[in-house]
């Protein structure tokens, strides 16, 4: 293949070659339109493209909306009642009557300890034999013991603090003469008053879907063309590198935008996520996010030129970081500083934060502008390297 | 089982497996891709995938000139999960900080907060949480309530048990 190309080139006169070089540097709109048309047809005729662009987003959104839930509801705990005193029984009843805990009663802690070990319960509360005398003693003494499953720190915290609350409330309700709690906090959740984690997860999931379409699909499709040699056929035409790259990416840009609209419609009408910002802001954000996403895919394929490598690198550098380091599931503030520094390089980080804002809070341009600028500059950076790596000859 | 063993003992299959190994490991880039990412993933993602709340920024809007709101503010500032406490002077400023995601939660003390506590009534402070981060927000509220309970216990040292519960994780 290499030899053939050089042969054709050596057959030309120097004049012809210079003309061709000149032509290839000029940006020609007609040629670009033709290329875009050709690439669109090629993309639409490939059934796997349609599958990734339309079926995968729907499946992913459903998964994230229904399977992933960070809400704490009906946590199963055990209540071990070792004492028969009426006060102990009324405390056990207080535990059974709460909304967030689902209580398994027991008389012996060994019964429930095994259930905690096997993960059937998240923890248990022990009301000790001498509960009554502890309660009556003038020196403050611990009343109950709470054992939690520390392998899930979050749920463990919740069980501990909730159990504490139950005991305190019970104590306050029992001794009517005791003063009310000194300080009461009144939580108000802005933007998400019902506290449904689905509402912040679905906008984040749209960012993941867009990364898959933008980066993975582009990387795979273009790498496949390098593998099959069809890229060389396109390179041998007079079209310039920029025209070829834009032609290749245009269909995926449009696919990405259509997928955004479809995901948004799903989010609003099926998952009940409000869109408090404007559709214009949402589309602008998505369009700008596609620059780094497509640029990254293009860069990966240009460097690897091989589907296996491209898929691995796209997974590793595109999908996983946007899943784990974007603040979609895991709070960026809680990460160690050096990982926080890495998250600034991940375009999805800016997109997730903007999407959550545009869906739940509204058009807060103070959030959008820096995010848009960051996404655009990462994108331009990827494109510059990708263009350098895509040469019009096959010698490199 | 016997069949399976025969399949693996099959020289043709064995040769093919060996060949696939070589074809993956021959290319230096493939070698890199097979071995480097899992290591990096283990390092980076193990630290990144935490659901705890750390380094949180909290805004405080204090109308109260009394002792207990300052006590509460100071304890929040010292708390392990807090990175920085921003003092704000107006509702708009508070709103803006939450809108721009600069803080995850804001505490607002009414002007009669300390007076209520001193008069053995309940001092009510409002906590405004960024619901975009619903999970981290709920955990933050949990932490803040523990602090509030502590401050409350200090205020009512003689009348209330400090902590009636022993927790083991």
């Amino acid at each position: 293949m290499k030899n053939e190309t050089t042969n054709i080139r050596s057959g030309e006169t120097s004049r012809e070659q210079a003309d061709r070089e000149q032509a290839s540097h000029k940006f020609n709109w007609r040629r670009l339109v033709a290329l875009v048309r050709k690439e669109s047809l090629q993309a639409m005729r490939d059934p796997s493209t349609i599958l990734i662009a339309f079926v995968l987003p729907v499946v992913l959104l459903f998964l994230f909306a229904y399977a992933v839930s960070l809400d704490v509801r009906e946590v199963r705990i055990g209540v071990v009642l070792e004492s028969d005193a009426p006060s102990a029984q009324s405390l056990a009843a207080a535990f059974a009557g709460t909304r967030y805990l689902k209580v398994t009663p027991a008389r012996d802690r060994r019964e429930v300890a095994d259930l905690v070990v096997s993960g059937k319960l998240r923890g248990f509360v022990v009301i000790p034999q001498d509960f009554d005398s502890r309660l009556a003693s003038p020196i403050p003494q611990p009343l109950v013991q709470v054992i939690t499953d520390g392998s899930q720190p979050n749920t463990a915290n919740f069980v501990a603090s909730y159990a504490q609350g139950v005991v305190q409330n019970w104590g306050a309700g029992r001794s009517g003469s005791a003063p009310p709690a000194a300080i009461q906090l009144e939580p108000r959740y802005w933007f998400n008053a019902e506290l449904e984690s689905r509402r912040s997860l679905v906008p984040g999931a749209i960012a993941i879907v867009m990364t898959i379409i933008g980066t993975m699909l582009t990387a795979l499709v273009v790498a496949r063309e390098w593998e099959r040699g069809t890229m060389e056929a396109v390179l041998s035409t007079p079209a310039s590198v920029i025209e070829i790259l834009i032609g290749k990416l245009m269909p995926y840009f449009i696919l990405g935008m259509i997928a955004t609209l479809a995901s948004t419609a799903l989010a609003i009408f099926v998952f009940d996520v409000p869109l408090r910002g404007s559709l214009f802001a949402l589309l602008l954000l998505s369009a700008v996010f596609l620059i780094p996403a497509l640029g990254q895919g293009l860069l990966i394929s240009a460097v690897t030129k091989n589907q296996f490598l491209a898929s691995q690198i796209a997974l590793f550098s595109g999908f996983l970081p946007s899943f784990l380091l974007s603040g979609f599931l895991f709070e960026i503030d809680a990460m160690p500083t050096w990982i926080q520094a890495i998250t600034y390089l991940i375009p999805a980080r800016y997109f997730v934060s903007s999407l959550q804002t545009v869906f739940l809070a509204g058009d807060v341009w103070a959030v959008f502008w820096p995010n848009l600028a960051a996404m655009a500059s990462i994108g331009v950076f990827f494109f510059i390297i990708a263009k350098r790596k895509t040469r019009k000859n096959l010698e490199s | 089982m016997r069949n399976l063993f025969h399949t693996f003992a099959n020289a043709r299959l064995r040769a093919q497996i060996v060949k696939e190994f070589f074809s993956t490991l021959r290319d230096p880039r493939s070698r890199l891709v097979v071995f480097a990412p899992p290591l990096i993933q283990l390092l980076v993602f193990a630290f990144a995938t935490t659901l705890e709340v750390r380094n949180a920024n909290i805004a405080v809007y204090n109308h109260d000139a009394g002792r207990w709101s300052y006590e509460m503010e100071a304890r929040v500032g010292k708390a392990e999960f807090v990175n920085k406490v921003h003092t704000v002077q107006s509702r708009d400023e508070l709103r803006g900080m939450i809108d721009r995601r600069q803080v995850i939660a804001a505490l607002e003390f009414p002007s009669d907060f300390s007076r209520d506590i001193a008069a053995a009534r309940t001092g009510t402070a409002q906590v405004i949480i960024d619901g975009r981060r619903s999970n981290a927000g709920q955990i933050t509220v949990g932490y803040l309530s523990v602090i509030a309970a502590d401050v409350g216990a200090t205020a009512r040292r003689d009348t209330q048990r400090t902590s009636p519960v022993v927790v083991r994780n």
Side-chain angles (χ1 to χ4, degrees):
Chain A
M1 206 59 175
K2 222 185 243 178
N3 281 338
E4 268 176 39
T5 332
T6 20
N7 283 342
I8 293 166
R9 288 207 172 173
S10 61
E12 289 173 337
T13 65
S14 56
R15 176 66 198 272
E16 271 169 340
Q17 209 161 11
D19 275 356
R20 222 175 52 127
E21 291 286 302
Q22 186 109 62
S24 69
H25 285 298
K26 259 194 218 142
F27 195 85
N28 186 326
W29 279 105
R30 254 193 76 210
R31 204 156 53 197
L32 180 68
V33 170
L35 271 170
V36 169
R37 198 178 118 78
K38 171 219 165 247
E39 298 293 348
S40 310
L41 285 175
Q42 196 179 332
M44 296 313 280
R45 281 174 190 160
D46 184 352
S48 63
T49 310
I50 305 302
L51 202 69
I52 295 184
F54 296 108
V55 180
L56 193 71
V58 176
V59 173
L60 274 177
L61 278 183
F62 268 95
L63 273 181
F64 284 126
Y66 290 115
V68 181
S69 169
L70 299 170
D71 300 337
V72 190
R73 266 182 205 149
E74 298 225 326
V75 178
R76 294 178 307 275
I77 65 158
V79 171
V80 183
L81 192 57
E82 290 180 343
S83 161
D84 279 328
S87 57
Q89 277 176 351
S90 89
L91 179 58
F95 272 103
T98 58
R99 231 175 87 214
Y100 295 99
L101 301 176
K102 211 173 171 206
V103 168
T104 309
R107 303 294 296 187
D108 191 319
R109 62 176 71 198
R110 275 165 297 188
E111 291 172 41
V112 284
D114 288 339
L115 292 174
V116 172
V117 172
S118 63
K120 295 210 173 68
L121 296 179
R122 295 281 160 240
F124 60 90
V125 178
V126 182
I127 303 173
Q129 273 180 340
D130 53 350
F131 182 76
D132 236 3
S133 60
R134 277 167 184 261
L135 197 62
S137 104
I139 318 142
Q141 266 182 340
L143 290 177
V144 300
Q145 186 185 34
V146 180
I147 311 266
T148 64
D149 176 4
S151 62
Q152 291 190 19
N154 245 358
T155 318
N157 269 337
F158 173 80
V159 169
S161 58
Y162 204 82
Q164 206 155 348
V166 169
V167 175
Q168 254 156 10
N169 272 346
W170 171 82
R174 198 175 139 277
S175 45
S177 58
I183 297 178
Q184 196 193 340
L185 293 184
E186 228 173 53
R188 262 197 208 174
Y189 293 87
W190 278 6
F191 316 129
N192 188 359
E194 295 84 1
L195 265 185
E196 268 191 69
S197 62
R198 189 193 298 163
R199 291 195 171 173
S200 54
L201 284 178
V202 168
I206 294 178
I208 309 288
V209 167
M210 299 272 286
T211 311
I212 292 176
I213 294 178
T215 306
M216 301 256 285
L217 194 60
T218 318
L220 280 180
V221 167
V222 182
R224 186 170 62 196
E225 296 216 10
W226 282 107
E227 239 174 31
R228 287 182 180 166
T230 44
M231 197 68 178
E232 292 172 6
V234 182
L235 285 180
S236 69
T237 62
S240 72
V241 174
I242 297 211
E243 284 167 350
I244 293 171
L245 293 188
I246 294 179
K248 281 257 173 273
L249 293 183
M250 218 34 165
Y252 295 102
F253 181 80
I254 293 166
L255 269 182
M257 292 307 280
I258 294 174
T260 311
L261 280 176
S263 308
T264 308
L266 262 183
I268 296 172
F269 298 115
V270 179
F271 302 126
D272 217 20
V273 179
L275 179 62
R276 302 211 170 100
S278 59
L279 193 64
F280 166 76
L282 176 70
L283 290 179
L284 178 69
L285 286 163
S286 313
V288 174
F289 173 70
L290 278 171
I291 302 173
L294 292 170
Q296 195 178 354
L298 192 69
L299 178 60
I300 291 169
S301 60
V303 173
T304 60
K305 301 189 177 159
N306 167 329
Q307 280 195 82
F308 166 69
L309 284 177
S311 68
Q312 289 298 309
I313 294 180
L315 190 73
F316 173 63
S317 69
F319 177 67
L320 286 177
S322 61
F323 194 77
L324 300 170
L325 300 179
S326 64
F328 157 60
L329 276 178
F330 305 104
E331 198 60 19
I332 292 175
D333 285 343
M335 298 173 188
T337 321
W338 61 278
I339 293 180
Q340 285 191 35
I342 298 177
T343 64
Y344 285 103
L345 304 175
I346 290 155
R349 174 208 162 116
Y350 308 101
F351 194 40
V352 167
S353 130
S354 308
L355 277 181
Q356 288 179 343
T357 306
V358 80
F359 271 101
L360 298 176
D363 287 351
V364 186
W365 290 97
V367 173
F368 297 161
W369 286 128
N371 287 346
L372 286 171
M375 292 192 285
S377 30
I378 296 174
V380 168
F381 176 73
F382 280 142
F383 270 102
I384 290 172
I385 307 189
K387 185 183 173 293
R388 281 202 186 159
K389 290 280 175 189
T390 315
R391 297 248 171 71
K392 278 219 72 177
N393 61 55
L394 301 169
E395 303 295 331
S396 53
Chain B
M1 197 62 217
R2 229 183 127 71
N3 255 339
L4 199 70
F5 177 76
H6 276 296
T7 319
F8 277 100
N10 186 339
R12 211 157 38 192
L13 180 70
R14 220 169 34 218
Q16 201 165 10
I17 291 172
V18 170
K19 175 237 153 204
E20 289 296 337
F21 257 118
F22 281 140
S23 70
T24 308
L25 297 181
R26 191 192 41 151
D27 179 20
R29 284 183 311 181
S30 297
R31 251 186 331 232
L32 196 71
V33 157
V34 169
F35 292 111
L39 283 176
I40 302 173
Q41 279 165 14
L42 201 63
L43 279 175
V44 173
F45 298 148
F47 286 107
T49 53
T50 164
L51 285 170
E52 285 161 50
V53 173
R54 262 180 268 146
N55 308 323
N57 291 326
I58 311 269
V60 174
Y61 181 25
N62 198 345
H63 303 275
D64 180 33
R67 175 180 161 201
W68 297 113
S69 60
Y70 283 103
E71 177 73 27
M72 177 95 191
E73 208 180 318
R75 290 213 197 180
V76 169
K78 267 193 307 186
E80 226 176 298
F81 75 101
V82 173
N83 178 35
K84 202 164 176 243
V85 173
H86 301 268
T87 316
V88 295
Q89 303 304 335
S90 71
R91 271 231 117 181
D92 285 345
E93 205 183 337
L94 185 151
R95 194 188 173 96
M97 288 196 107
I98 291 204
D99 275 354
R100 289 193 298 275
R101 306 180 70 122
Q102 283 166 330
V103 295
I104 187 165
L107 273 168
E108 190 178 339
F109 297 103
S111 53
D112 51 3
F113 183 72
S114 295
R115 212 182 326 145
D116 274 345
I117 294 176
R121 285 191 296 266
T122 301
T124 306
Q126 203 177 73
V127 190
I128 296 158
I129 302 106
D130 183 352
R132 282 169 287 186
R133 303 188 259 177
S134 60
N135 185 53
Q138 286 178 67
I139 298 168
T140 308
V141 171
Y143 289 161
L144 288 174
S145 337
V146 172
I147 295 175
D150 268 3
V151 176
T154 317
R156 300 267 162 81
R157 178 147 283 158
D158 34 24
T159 50
Q160 251 189 354
R161 291 167 193 280
T162 40
S163 172
V165 172
V166 186
V167 178
R168 299 251 161 81
N169 288 316

